[in-house]
Structure formats: structure tokens, C-alpha cells
Coordinates of all heavy atoms in Angstrom, one line a residue:
T1 N 82.0 79.6 -85.3 CA 80.5 79.5 -85.6 C 80.0 78.1 -85.2 O 78.8 77.9 -85.1 CB 80.3 79.7 -87.1 OG1 81.0 78.7 -87.8 CG2 80.7 81.1 -87.5
G2 N 80.9 77.1 -84.9 CA 80.5 75.8 -84.5 C 79.8 75.8 -83.2 O 79.0 74.9 -82.9
F3 N 80.0 76.8 -82.4 CA 79.4 76.9 -81.1 C 78.0 77.5 -81.1 O 77.2 77.5 -80.2 CB 80.2 77.7 -80.1 CG 81.6 77.2 -79.8 CD1 82.7 77.7 -80.4 CD2 81.7 76.0 -79.0 CE1 84.0 77.2 -80.2 CE2 83.0 75.5 -78.8 CZ 84.1 76.1 -79.3
L4 N 77.6 78.1 -82.2 CA 76.4 78.9 -82.4 C 75.3 78.1 -83.0 O 75.5 77.1 -83.7 CB 76.7 80.2 -83.2 CG 77.9 81.1 -82.7 CD1 78.1 82.2 -83.7 CD2 77.6 81.5 -81.3
P5 N 74.0 78.5 -82.7 CA 72.9 77.8 -83.3 C 72.9 78.0 -84.8 O 73.3 79.0 -85.4 CB 71.7 78.4 -82.6 CG 72.1 79.8 -82.2 CD 73.6 79.6 -81.8
K6 N 72.3 77.0 -85.5 CA 72.2 77.1 -87.0 C 70.7 77.1 -87.4 O 69.9 76.4 -86.8 CB 72.8 75.8 -87.6 CG 74.3 75.7 -87.2 CD 74.8 74.4 -87.7 CE 76.3 74.2 -87.4 NZ 76.6 74.3 -86.0
L7 N 70.4 77.9 -88.3 CA 69.0 78.1 -88.8 C 69.0 77.5 -90.2 O 69.8 77.9 -91.1 CB 68.6 79.5 -88.8 CG 67.2 79.9 -89.4 CD1 66.1 79.2 -88.6 CD2 67.0 81.4 -89.4
S8 N 68.0 76.6 -90.5 CA 67.9 76.1 -91.9 C 66.4 76.1 -92.2 O 65.5 76.2 -91.4 CB 68.5 74.6 -91.9 OG 67.8 73.8 -91.0
A9 N 66.1 75.9 -93.5 CA 64.8 75.9 -94.0 C 64.6 74.9 -95.1 O 65.6 74.6 -95.8 CB 64.4 77.3 -94.5
E10 N 63.4 74.4 -95.2 CA 63.2 73.4 -96.3 C 61.8 73.6 -96.8 O 60.8 73.8 -96.0 CB 63.3 72.0 -95.7 CG 63.0 70.8 -96.7 CD 63.1 69.5 -96.0 OE1 63.7 69.4 -94.9 OE2 62.6 68.5 -96.6
Y11 N 61.7 73.5 -98.1 CA 60.4 73.7 -98.7 C 60.2 72.6 -99.7 O 61.1 72.3 -100.5 CB 60.3 75.1 -99.5 CG 59.0 75.4 -100.1 CD1 57.9 75.9 -99.4 CD2 58.7 75.1 -101.4 CE1 56.7 76.2 -100.0 CE2 57.5 75.3 -102.0 CZ 56.5 75.9 -101.3 OH 55.3 76.2 -101.9
G12 N 59.0 71.9 -99.6 CA 58.8 70.7 -100.4 C 57.4 70.5 -100.9 O 56.4 71.1 -100.3
Y13 N 57.2 69.7 -101.9 CA 55.9 69.4 -102.5 C 55.8 67.8 -102.5 O 56.8 67.1 -102.9 CB 55.8 69.9 -103.9 CG 54.6 69.4 -104.6 CD1 53.3 69.8 -104.3 CD2 54.7 68.5 -105.6 CE1 52.2 69.3 -105.0 CE2 53.6 68.0 -106.3 CZ 52.4 68.4 -106.0 OH 51.3 67.9 -106.7
R14 N 54.6 67.3 -102.2 CA 54.4 65.9 -102.2 C 53.0 65.6 -102.7 O 52.0 66.3 -102.3 CB 54.5 65.3 -100.7 CG 54.2 63.9 -100.6 CD 54.4 63.4 -99.1 NE 54.0 62.1 -98.9 CZ 52.7 61.8 -98.5 NH1 51.9 62.7 -98.2 NH2 52.4 60.5 -98.3
R15 N 52.9 64.6 -103.6 CA 51.6 64.2 -104.1 C 51.5 62.7 -103.8 O 52.1 61.9 -104.4 CB 51.5 64.5 -105.6 CG 50.1 64.1 -106.2 CD 50.2 64.4 -107.7 NE 48.9 64.0 -108.3 CZ 47.9 64.9 -108.5 NH1 48.0 66.2 -108.1 NH2 46.7 64.6 -109.0
P16 N 50.5 62.3 -102.9 CA 50.4 60.9 -102.6 C 49.7 60.1 -103.7 O 49.0 60.7 -104.5 CB 49.6 60.9 -101.3 CG 48.8 62.2 -101.4 CD 49.7 63.2 -102.1
S17 N 49.8 58.8 -103.7 CA 49.1 58.0 -104.7 C 47.6 57.9 -104.5 O 46.8 57.7 -105.4 CB 49.7 56.5 -104.7 OG 49.6 56.0 -103.4
G18 N 47.2 58.0 -103.2 CA 45.8 58.0 -102.9 C 45.5 59.0 -101.9 O 46.3 59.3 -100.9
T19 N 44.3 59.6 -102.0 CA 43.9 60.6 -101.1 C 42.6 60.3 -100.3 O 42.0 61.1 -99.6 CB 43.7 62.0 -101.8 OG1 42.7 61.8 -102.8 CG2 45.0 62.4 -102.4
S20 N 42.1 59.1 -100.5 CA 40.8 58.7 -99.9 C 40.9 57.2 -99.4 O 41.8 56.5 -99.8 CB 39.6 58.8 -100.8 OG 39.8 58.0 -102.0
T21 N 40.0 56.9 -98.5 CA 40.0 55.5 -97.9 C 38.5 55.0 -98.0 O 37.6 55.8 -97.8 CB 40.4 55.5 -96.4 OG1 41.7 56.1 -96.3 CG2 40.4 54.1 -95.9
E22 N 38.4 53.8 -98.4 CA 37.0 53.2 -98.6 C 36.5 52.7 -97.2 O 37.2 51.9 -96.6 CB 37.1 52.1 -99.6 CG 35.7 51.5 -99.9 CD 35.8 50.4 -101.0 OE1 36.8 50.3 -101.7 OE2 34.8 49.7 -101.1
I23 N 35.4 53.2 -96.8 CA 34.8 52.8 -95.6 C 33.3 52.4 -95.9 O 32.5 53.2 -96.3 CB 34.8 53.9 -94.5 CG1 36.3 54.4 -94.3 CG2 34.1 53.5 -93.3 CD1 36.4 55.6 -93.3
G24 N 33.0 51.1 -95.6 CA 31.6 50.6 -95.9 C 31.2 50.8 -97.3 O 30.1 51.1 -97.6
G25 N 32.2 50.6 -98.3 CA 31.9 50.8 -99.7 C 31.8 52.2 -100.1 O 31.4 52.5 -101.3
V26 N 32.1 53.1 -99.3 CA 32.1 54.6 -99.6 C 33.5 55.1 -99.5 O 34.2 54.9 -98.5 CB 31.2 55.4 -98.7 CG1 31.2 56.8 -99.0 CG2 29.8 54.8 -98.7
N27 N 33.9 55.8 -100.6 CA 35.3 56.4 -100.5 C 35.2 57.7 -99.8 O 34.4 58.6 -100.1 CB 35.7 56.7 -102.0 CG 36.1 55.5 -102.7 OD1 36.6 54.5 -102.1 ND2 35.9 55.4 -104.0

């Protein structure tokens, strides 16, 4: 099986600290 292709999967969740950027005093 070392000669054959391998199929893998990954499922994840991420929550960033900030979701907006201030531009000209406007978020």
C-alpha cells in the first residue's frame, strides 16, 4: 500500500479574534 495514493480528510472550526478592519474611522 506504500506505492498507492492516500486519501485523507480534515474538518475544523476557527473563530478569529477580530472580524473587521477600521478604515477612515469606520469599521
Side-chain angles (χ1 to χ4, degrees):
T1 61
F3 299 106
L4 306 177
K6 300 174 179 61
L7 176 63
S8 60
E10 179 182 343
Y11 183 84
Y13 168 76
R14 174 176 173 271
R15 184 183 180 91
S17 59
T19 60
S20 61
T21 303
E22 185 176 345
I23 300 177
V26 179
N27 288 329

